[in-house]
Amino acid sequence: MLEPASITDGAVGSADQKGLNVNSSPKRSFQKLLRIILSTPSGVVGFGVVAAHVVVALIAPAIVLHDPLAQDPNQIMAAPSWTHPFGTDLLGRDVLSRTLEGGRVAIAVTALSALLALIGGAAIGITAAMRGGWFDSLTMRLVESIGALPYLLFLLVLANAFPGSAFALVPALAIFYSTSIVRVSRAAALSVASADFVTAARVRGEKAITVLLREVLPNVLDVVLVDGALRWASMLLGFSSLSFLGFGVAPPTPDWGLMISDARNVMAIAPWAVFWPCVALSTLILGAIFLADAASKAVGLQRAPEGLNP
Amino acid sequence: MYRSRSAGVMVLALGAFALFSSPALSETLRISHNLGLGGRESLDPVSPNRFLPAIAMIYDRLVNPGKNGLPEPSLALSWNSSADFTEWTLKLREGVRFHNGEPFSAEDAAFSLKRILNPKLASPVRSFLGIIDSVDAVDATTLRVQLKQAHADFLMLLTDYRVRMVSSKAAHGDLDAVLDSGIGTGPFKLSKLDARNTTVLAANPEHWEGKPGVEEVDIIAIADQDARNQALLAGQIDLASVAPNEVGLFKTNKQFVVQQVPAGKFNPIVMRTDVAPFNDIRVRKALKMLADRESLRKLVIGDANGSLACDEPVWPGDPYFNSSITCPTDVEGAKRLLSEAGYPNGLSLDLYTASVEPIMIPLAEAYQAQAAKAGVKVNVKVVPADGYWTNVWMKPNRPFVVGNWGQRAADQVLNEVFRAGAKWNETAWNRPDFEALLDQARSSASFEERKSIYGKAQAVLAEEGGQFIPFFRNETRVYSSSVDNVSHVPDNMLPWHKITKK
């Protein structure tokens, strides 16, 4: 097999010197990224917090002490106690159980949206970079137009059209939050597109899709994943804002945004009903940001010579 | 240089201090309104967009609601009727003047009542005052009202919070005119109308009951309940109604007085009787039977903050309240009825609600949990509070919603909410036999007989109607301790002019 590095011009620098994955698979690039993330303190914290949240969300129904929907007329806004360690809310429901289950819908909806945004955004961004010309221009103008829309207002309108169906928001969330992924993946792909090993692959007569998947994708995946993590963090905040405003998750499903909204009028009487969902939501978002931050540092260090932007 | 600059900063700071910390005028009572009509609030008392509580301060009624809802003199001093209760004569107070200096006369009273009957103004009041056939001013202080049908309690209808006296001269006698000039005979005069911000009313020193207790009333628009509570806590407003579960914010604070006024406010879960599946009486019955009302009251407002109800819209404080209606919880019975109605596996319903009143979402959630026990899946759909009354409530494609009513006298609520064609007939109730009962009650001379007939009408609603009313709630009012003389009565009856402020 032709070694791309060996045919490079010394003045440009070899692929290895540039930190490019010449012979890599997406899986290996992901593993490498994870390894680097876990070598920094903020990466460990971020990964730990996010993983803990995801695990809790998955097993919550099995570990909660009370039914999070069970209302108790005799325990309205009860202070924390042994039976209800986080107290109870306006309708006498257990705040601990609701907090533990409160991230399930938000995490599911935003993770699904982030995944869609990641796949769709990267596919469009890389294709735009590889094809160039009118397709590239059109894509970028479209991305800029979407970026100009007030997304929260737009989401509110959508949520109002489909009240109570949180999953109806997935396509909209994915589209809004994919714009930056399109930009980032396009920029990263542009810097790879001109690399000699890509040219070599083309010269070999590889199909465009093969070049894209085997030569370009592994080299931009890390950058795209970092941006995806950041998008996920801001999506969580956006989705919870919708729930807070009454447009995300339908009652009585436990959801942090909804719990904060329900209890905010009685914040001075039953602070626990607001405090714990706030803690849960902010730790998850902070964790996601730490994770993305550690990842971007890792990637940035490695790819600094080319830079993340064109 | 440094010195002069710091001096300048100090002057600026002092200026700002003077601007923003001008001591609250002790003579100004500051209250709020919830902007429920989104800024379309009108000073026309009969408009569906009537601006509460401004209209109660600017205009006077002919008669005020007194104890048990019975009429007490206001602009009318005395009244009597023909033996068959079809003709009523009211003697009006002399020497009363409008804010523009014009004298108040029977002409104005006749004009004010005729406006209510004008279909062009689409007043909700028309649904129960539609029985007026003609109104005449016999002389300057005598008003004669001819009814289409007998009504022994006609004067009780005139105690409604919207039946207020306006100036016919200010409207140039035009019955179609929408009256937004704010010319009334009331204890306060309009200084500035700005429903979205602050509406300012000034005391009317010429008021026939004497000078009001404060110089000025500011009505500040605060749409959000939480913001309203914060404004009260921070001393930006002096008085507000709060949700029962928010009382804890003020109870232990010596700067505030919490007033619990027994009242008949209610939040029904409304089923439109003309839309499937609610057009099936078995479904309506089942949806009421499955409820544990005591637990709903305890969950949503607390035991002490209201009285239990059995779907009759007449509250226990009303002289015509039917106390013999019972409504035990029967989940199995509900399941059986649903099965008979063709829903052996239960059914799924979308219940629309909004935070128009703080308890409207918790009520929906509490009911949802109880309905689940009878196999009814209630999907609570929370929609925006602003525009709820125009876009969601009473729309045939939203047949299952949470409603919100203030306390009303028996005859009023039964006619205003349950007559076919009434503007606010939220359950689309259309029952000639029921309306015949109401007519019969109105024409009866004996109180006991009226009570028995109104009682029957309530029983019909409890058994077959489309409103599920689990409880009536009290008025929970909180005011600053600098405010005094706040009468222990619901908002619709409150004599605002008696309130004083230290």
Side-chain angles (χ1 to χ4, degrees):
Chain A
M1 186 180 160
L2 196 61
E3 190 68 47
S6 66
I7 60 158
T8 52
D9 185 333
V12 176
S14 75
D16 276 339
Q17 282 166 336
K18 286 170 122 189
L20 293 173
N21 298 312
V22 174
N23 249 335
S24 180
S25 71
K27 192 179 159 200
R28 264 167 51 198
S29 136
F30 182 72
Q31 281 171 344
K32 192 173 168 196
L33 182 67
L34 193 62
R35 205 166 49 241
I36 300 170
I37 288 170
L38 289 179
S39 67
T40 63
S42 70
V44 172
V45 172
F47 185 79
V49 170
V50 171
H53 266 291
V54 171
V55 170
V56 167
L58 287 174
I59 63 166
I63 57 167
V64 290
L65 296 171
H66 301 271
D67 174 2
L69 303 185
Q71 304 169 353
D72 186 347
N74 298 315
Q75 293 284 331
I76 304 229
M77 296 192 273
S81 64
W82 285 112
T83 7
H84 300 286
F86 285 9
T88 63
D89 71 359
L90 266 173
L91 291 171
R93 295 173 295 202
D94 182 49
V95 174
L96 172 59
S97 310
R98 289 180 74 74
T99 306
L100 289 176
E101 289 204 12
R104 287 167 63 86
V105 179
I107 293 176
V109 167
T110 53
L112 192 61
S113 310
L115 196 69
L116 276 179
L118 206 60
I119 295 171
I124 294 170
I126 297 171
T127 312
M130 303 292 285
R131 286 196 59 167
W134 66 268
F135 183 81
D136 186 29
S137 303
L138 185 74
T139 309
M140 293 323 286
R141 294 303 86 76
L142 208 65
V143 162
E144 282 158 12
S145 319
I146 295 175
L149 287 173
Y151 77 95
L152 199 58
L153 202 65
F154 198 84
L155 286 175
L156 277 175
V157 172
L158 265 179
N160 198 21
F162 306 96
S165 47
F167 282 89
L169 295 174
V170 168
L173 280 170
I175 289 171
F176 273 109
Y177 288 91
S178 66
T179 55
S180 110
I181 295 174
V182 170
R183 259 198 298 265
V184 167
S185 56
R186 173 181 170 273
L190 272 182
S191 69
V192 179
S194 57
D196 296 329
F197 64 93
V198 177
T199 317
R202 281 182 169 153
V203 169
R204 283 202 304 271
E206 303 268 13
K207 281 189 204 147
I209 182 81
T210 318
V211 177
L212 196 151
L213 286 179
R214 291 197 45 192
E215 311 294 340
V216 182
L217 185 63
N219 285 296
V220 300
L221 189 66
D222 46 4
V223 195
V224 173
L225 281 175
V226 168
D227 196 57
L230 268 176
R231 284 321 109 210
W232 181 52
S234 54
M235 223 186 265
L236 272 167
L237 193 62
F239 182 78
S240 296
S241 309
L242 283 179
S243 285
F244 176 82
L245 294 171
F247 298 100
V249 177
T253 310
D255 176 81
W256 298 326
L258 195 60
M259 288 169 74
I260 296 168
S261 163
D262 275 352
R264 87 201 149 98
N265 279 359
V266 293
M267 212 186 318
I269 310 167
W272 48 86
V274 174
F275 179 73
W276 293 109
C278 281
V279 168
L281 181 61
S282 34
T283 51
L284 177 57
I285 292 174
L286 275 177
I289 289 174
F290 272 18
L291 190 64
D293 190 48
S296 75
K297 271 186 193 143
V299 173
L301 277 175
Q302 200 186 9
R303 297 185 65 96
E306 286 85 25
L308 283 173
N309 298 308
Chain B
M1 177 68 197
Y2 173 73
R3 177 170 287 198
S4 74
R5 200 192 321 173
S6 71
V9 167
M10 257 182 92
V11 168
L12 269 177
L14 278 172
F17 183 74
L19 255 179
F20 295 112
S21 71
S22 57
L25 287 172
S26 64
E27 290 290 275
T28 300
L29 177 72
R30 293 152 313 159
I31 56 175
S32 70
H33 79 108
N34 64 10
L35 204 60
L37 299 158
R40 281 176 294 127
E41 279 80 358
S42 162
L43 283 180
D44 192 332
V46 304
S47 160
N49 298 335
R50 74 278 179 278
F51 185 4
L52 285 173
I55 61 161
M57 304 181 185
I58 293 175
Y59 309 99
D60 284 319
R61 284 179 274 221
L62 286 173
V63 281
N64 283 330
K67 216 167 176 239
N68 287 336
L70 295 171
E72 280 179 359
S74 176
L75 289 183
L77 286 171
S78 61
W79 46 88
N80 56 61
S81 76
S82 60
D84 63 353
F85 304 112
T86 54
E87 191 182 289
W88 289 78
T89 310
L90 291 87
K91 201 75 191 155
L92 306 184
R93 194 178 289 274
E94 283 179 57
V96 175
R97 286 188 179 274
F98 281 106
H99 299 155
N100 59 2
E102 300 281 349
F104 164 74
S105 75
E107 287 287 340
D108 300 297
F111 177 77
S112 303
L113 292 182
K114 280 180 191 160
R115 293 185 74 242
I116 293 173
L117 306 177
N118 181 358
K120 277 192 191 158
L121 295 178
S123 176
V125 188
R126 192 166 152 251
S127 50
F128 60 88
L129 278 187
I131 56 161
I132 296 178
D133 189 40
S134 65
V135 201
D136 307 289
V138 179
D139 57 45
T141 57
T142 312
L143 182 75
R144 192 168 52 209
V145 184
Q146 188 70 44
L147 303 182
K148 289 177 190 157
Q149 60 178 89
H151 197 331
D153 282 331
F154 172 65
L155 262 283
M156 268 173 94
L157 299 184
L158 299 185
T159 64
D160 183 83
Y161 68 102
R162 296 155 291 187
V163 183
R164 294 186 182 263
M165 296 301 109
V166 296
S167 161
S168 78
K169 283 218 178 66
H172 308 290
D174 178 6
L175 281 171
D176 294 345
V178 174
L179 283 184
D180 241 354
S181 57
I183 302 292
T185 60
F188 293 94
K189 302 192 240 189
L190 180 70
S191 291
K192 190 186 87 179
L193 172 64
D194 188 353
R196 284 179 187 278
N197 298 294
T198 301
T199 298
V200 182
L201 308 179
N204 170 15
E206 312 289 319
H207 190 240
W208 55 271
E209 269 192 289
K211 198 171 170 284
V214 291
E215 287 294 332
E216 187 181 301
V217 177
D218 291 356
I219 306 173
I220 305 164
I222 307 179
D224 185 77
Q225 176 74 19
D226 189 34
R228 199 154 47 237
N229 292 342
Q230 294 305 323
L232 192 56
L233 280 170
Q236 286 158 347
I237 55 173
D238 302 314
L239 178 149
S241 280
V242 305
N245 51 29
E246 293 162 357
V247 167
L249 287 171
F250 308 93
K251 210 164 49 186
T252 53
N253 191 332
K254 284 208 171 69
Q255 287 175 304
F256 296 99
V257 180
V258 177
Q259 206 180 39
Q260 286 276 5
V261 184
K265 295 172 151 191
F266 63 104
N267 291 93
I269 291 182
V270 181
M271 304 171 253
R272 271 192 76 118
T273 57
D274 60 342
V275 176
F278 310 106
N279 54 2
D280 188 327
I281 183 175
R282 292 168 295 192
V283 173
R284 298 203 296 271
K285 264 180 139 164
L287 291 176
K288 296 175 184 180
M289 270 161 79
L290 60 83
D292 175 355
R293 292 152 201 264
E294 276 195 49
S295 147
L296 280 179
R297 177 178 66 169
K298 206 168 191 178
L299 276 168
V300 181
I301 60 170
D303 284 346
N305 298 313
S307 46
L308 287 175
C310 275
D311 310 325
E312 73 286 64
V314 178
W315 79 294
D318 191 284
Y320 294 120
F321 169 66
N322 178 349
S323 59
S324 67
I325 303 172
T326 55
C327 45
T329 308
D330 185 357
V331 176
E332 289 313 310
K335 281 184 184 165
R336 211 163 38 239
L337 275 177
L338 285 176
S339 174
E340 279 171 28
Y343 305 98
N345 303 316
L347 72 170
S348 173
L349 300 165
D350 291 347
L351 174 61
Y352 286 81
T353 189
S355 63
V356 181
E357 276 289 330
I359 72 149
M360 283 169 64
I361 295 171
L363 173 64
E365 283 191 60
Y367 179 76
Q368 177 185 49
Q370 296 193 350
K373 289 179 190 157
V376 179
K377 186 171 183 288
V378 173
N379 312 305
V380 174
K381 305 274 185 183
V382 179
V383 291
D386 57 330
Y388 183 70
W389 303 120
T390 38
N391 305 332
V392 179
W393 182 61
M394 287 190 66
K395 296 287 173 225
N397 59 346
R398 304 273 187 264
F400 199 37
V401 300
V402 179
N404 182 41
W405 291 92
Q407 177 187 318
R408 276 163 169 74
D411 186 74
Q412 221 168 308
V413 70
L414 292 172
N415 283 282
E416 188 176 354
V417 190
F418 299 99
R419 256 189 206 271
K423 188 161 176 66
W424 287 346
N425 180 354
E426 61 181 3
T427 57
W429 186 242
N430 186 355
R431 285 278 295 271
D433 56 332
F434 176 84
E435 290 177 29
L437 275 181
L438 298 183
D439 294 342
Q440 197 191 338
R442 284 176 155 186
S443 59
S444 163
S446 131
F447 170 80
E448 287 308 322
E449 196 182 323
R450 286 202 297 275
K451 188 174 164 88
S452 138
I453 304 168
Y454 282 129
K456 267 187 215 160
Q458 292 166 52
V460 171
L461 290 179
E463 183 72 15
E464 305 169 31
Q467 277 184 339
F468 163 65
I469 307 171
F471 50 78
F472 291 102
R473 57 191 170 85
N474 296 344
E475 185 100 54
T476 309
R477 192 182 287 142
V478 174
Y479 55 89
S480 153
S481 51
S482 64
V483 170
D484 212 352
N485 295 323
V486 183
S487 302
H488 202 79
V489 293
D491 270 357
N492 281 346
M493 296 165 64
L494 195 64
W496 291 97
H497 58 285
K498 289 191 181 157
I499 296 177
T500 55
K501 195 176 160 191
K502 282 197 279 280

